[in-house]
Amino acid sequence: MTPPPRWPCLTDLGDGGSALMVSVQPGAKRTEAVGLHDGALRVRLAAVPVDGRANEAMVAWLAGQLALPRRAIEIRQGASSRRKRLVIDAPVASVSDWLDRLGLSR
């Protein structure tokens, strides 16, 4: 059994993939991760929540941050909600390292 991840918003899926819980605030001035909120990574998005633009922006931003293709990230739950579960085709260690580099408090 693997030890729990260092971040409460991150889950090891056991198949080389990870799940990340995010709490999205669309319509912000700029796109950025700002901390944790209720066990999820709080992300402010510059995109508005119209016609899926915020979801597309969330996936594109996270893919860019993790240096992954967009197809490596899927919104598994919460497509029409502020709280989302993203499945990422990357090891939990690399996502956790990225979270560490953001310099957010846990």
Side-chain angles (χ1 to χ4, degrees):
M1 184 163 191
T2 60
R6 299 180 298 234
W7 292 91
C9 56
L10 186 60
T11 305
D12 186 350
L13 297 178
D15 60 357
S18 319
L20 181 67
M21 292 299 297
V22 294
S23 177
V24 177
Q25 180 184 352
K29 290 185 179 184
R30 62 182 175 179
T31 299
E32 62 184 341
V34 293
L36 292 177
H37 175 73
D38 195 25
L41 178 67
R42 170 62 67 109
V43 177
R44 292 185 183 144
L45 288 176
V48 295
V50 176
D51 297 329
R53 285 187 230 155
N55 286 338
E56 291 171 13
M58 177 75 239
V59 170
W61 175 78
L62 188 57
Q65 290 286 305
L66 295 171
L68 295 170
R70 289 182 186 189
R71 68 180 178 273
I73 300 169
E74 176 187 354
I75 297 176
R76 189 65 59 89
Q77 290 177 313
S80 61
S81 172
R82 287 180 181 238
R83 191 168 176 94
K84 302 176 185 312
R85 181 174 185 252
L86 304 173
V87 173
I88 305 167
D89 188 16
V92 73
S94 66
V95 180
S96 183
D97 289 344
W98 168 72
L99 288 166
D100 290 338
R101 287 192 306 273
L102 289 177
L104 305 173
S105 60
R106 291 177 215 180

